[in-house]
């Protein structure tokens, strides 16, 4: 299929170093899907606040991603951007802020993520009232769901439609909800909605068991991986590192080493976009070969490391896969 102008530009100009690896990784992603493989994307950092949904949502709609592993922050912040975008504050000179400037932002109820401040009242609190009702209704009915399933219920209920402040086509969570895309969210409690849920548990307004746990996510993921790691297997496209990456990647060695299952197919494509260094036991910075020693990648798994900013690199790779 003919490539669009973005991909044509990239192929012509990105010939060396990290730029060339970007092209190689994009072609590898495309080849893996074309051969019949599936793809997991992991989202660390604050990719939702960086508005990665503009490109990721279309990847989801076109079936270019089969499962996502993300932090609780990325799960909720895409929805916050969807309903509170006009209230966000961008601070281009964020490197020049002093402690008092930061305190002033806090007192103004702005939470800063690099150059972008999330408005507490318009973002966090707008969602809180709706999700609280969904949590409590589930508990009253004796039902339990994963964190992302509660967010899907929130989006698909339609209660937020009148509050949309961006083109809903640019929300990756909305695209995922409409497709019922599998998501795992390790460490969900380390997020604003996770903190809010914990506060209700402390106040005896909810039970902790109403939200399914990380262990239950791993159990579910093990079943999904066994069913899908066949044929050309599952690829792993990792943005950043941290728990979103390692949690999902560990499912392959767990099946083989801990459950002692035979013929477990390891991850069959691997790409990481990172600016982390290989030091201090860093998972975010470790090179693909180290993952071979843990039973995560195989010796012949096509692997790529792009040492750059994911907000620049990921949309270009997605554009290639989407023939843009």
């Amino acid at each position: 299929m003919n490539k669009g102008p973005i991909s044509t530009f990239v192929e012509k100009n990105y010939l060396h170093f990290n730029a060339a690896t970007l092209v190689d990784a994009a072609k590898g992603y495309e080849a893996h899907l074309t051969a019949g493989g599936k793809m997991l994307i992991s989202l660390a950092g604050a990719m939702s606040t960086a508005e990665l949904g503009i490109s990721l949502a279309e990847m989801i709609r076109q079936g270019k991603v089969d499962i996502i592993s993300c932090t609780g922050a990325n799960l909720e912040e895409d929805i916050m951007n969807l309903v509170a975008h006009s209230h966000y504050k961008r601070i281009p000179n964020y490197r020049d802020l002093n402690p008092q400037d930061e305190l002033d932002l806090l007192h103004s109820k702005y939470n800063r993520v690099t150059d972008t401040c999330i408005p507490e009242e318009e973002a966090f609190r707008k969602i809180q009232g709706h999700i609280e009702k969904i949590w409590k209704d589930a508990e009253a009915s004796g039902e339990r769901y994963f964190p992302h399933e509660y967010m899907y219920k929130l989006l698909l209920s339609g209660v937020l439609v009148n509050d949309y402040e961006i083109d809903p086509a640019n929300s990756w969570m909305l695209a995922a909800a409409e497709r019922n895309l599998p998501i795992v969210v390790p460490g969900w409690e380390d997020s604003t909605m996770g903190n809010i849920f914990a506060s209700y548990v402390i106040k005896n307004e909810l039970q902790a068991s109403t939200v399914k746990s990380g262990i239950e996510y791993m159990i579910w993921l093990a079943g999904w991986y066994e069913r899908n790691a066949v044929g050309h297997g599952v690829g792993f496209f990792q943005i950043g590192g941290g728990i979103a990456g390692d949690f999902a990647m560990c499912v392959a060695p767990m099946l083989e080493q801990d459950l002692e299952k035979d013929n477990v197919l390891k991850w069959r494509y691997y790409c990481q976009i990172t600016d982390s260094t290989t030091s201090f036991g860093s998972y975010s910075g470790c090179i693909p070969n180290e993952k071979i020693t843990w039973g995560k990648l195989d010796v012949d798994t096509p692997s790529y490391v792009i040492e750059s900013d994911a907000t620049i690199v990921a949309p270009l790779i997605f554009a290639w896969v989407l023939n843009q």
Side-chain angles (χ1 to χ4, degrees), residues 72-73 86 114 121 205 239 246 283 301:
S86 68
T114 312
E121 293 300 323
E205 295 181 20
I239 297 176
D246 201 29
Y283 174 79
T301 299

Coordinates of all heavy atoms in Angstrom, one line a residue, residues 72-73 86 114 121 205 239 246 283 301:
G72 N -2.2 3.8 35.8 CA -3.5 4.4 36.2 C -3.6 5.8 35.7 O -4.7 6.3 35.4
A73 N -2.5 6.5 35.7 CA -2.5 7.9 35.3 C -2.9 8.0 33.8 O -3.7 8.9 33.5 CB -1.1 8.5 35.5
S86 N -10.0 22.7 27.8 CA -9.9 24.2 27.7 C -9.4 24.8 29.0 O -9.0 26.0 29.0 CB -11.3 24.8 27.4 OG -12.2 24.6 28.4
T114 N 5.2 18.2 33.6 CA 6.2 18.8 32.8 C 5.7 20.2 32.3 O 5.7 21.1 33.2 CB 6.5 17.9 31.5 OG1 6.7 16.6 32.0 CG2 7.8 18.4 30.8
E121 N -10.3 21.0 39.7 CA -11.8 21.0 39.8 C -12.4 20.5 38.5 O -13.4 19.7 38.5 CB -12.3 22.4 40.1 CG -11.9 22.9 41.5 CD -12.5 22.0 42.6 OE1 -13.7 21.5 42.4 OE2 -11.8 21.7 43.6
E205 N -16.9 3.7 53.0 CA -17.9 3.9 52.0 C -17.9 2.9 50.9 O -18.8 2.7 50.1 CB -17.8 5.3 51.5 CG -18.1 6.4 52.5 CD -18.0 7.8 52.0 OE1 -18.2 8.0 50.7 OE2 -17.8 8.8 52.7
I239 N 6.4 2.1 25.3 CA 6.7 3.6 25.4 C 7.1 3.9 26.9 O 6.3 3.7 27.8 CB 5.4 4.4 25.1 CG1 5.0 4.1 23.6 CG2 5.6 5.9 25.3 CD1 3.8 4.8 23.1
D246 N 7.0 -3.7 32.4 CA 7.5 -4.9 33.0 C 6.4 -5.8 33.4 O 6.5 -7.1 33.3 CB 8.4 -4.6 34.2 CG 9.4 -5.8 34.5 OD1 9.7 -6.5 33.5 OD2 9.8 -5.9 35.6
Y283 N 14.9 -0.8 34.7 CA 14.2 -1.5 33.7 C 13.9 -0.6 32.5 O 14.0 -1.1 31.4 CB 12.8 -2.0 34.3 CG 11.9 -2.6 33.2 CD1 12.2 -3.9 32.8 CD2 11.0 -1.9 32.5 CE1 11.4 -4.5 31.7 CE2 10.2 -2.4 31.5 CZ 10.4 -3.7 31.1 OH 9.7 -4.3 30.1
T301 N 14.0 -12.6 18.4 CA 12.9 -11.6 18.5 C 13.5 -10.3 17.8 O 14.5 -9.8 18.3 CB 12.5 -11.3 19.9 OG1 11.9 -12.5 20.5 CG2 11.4 -10.3 19.9

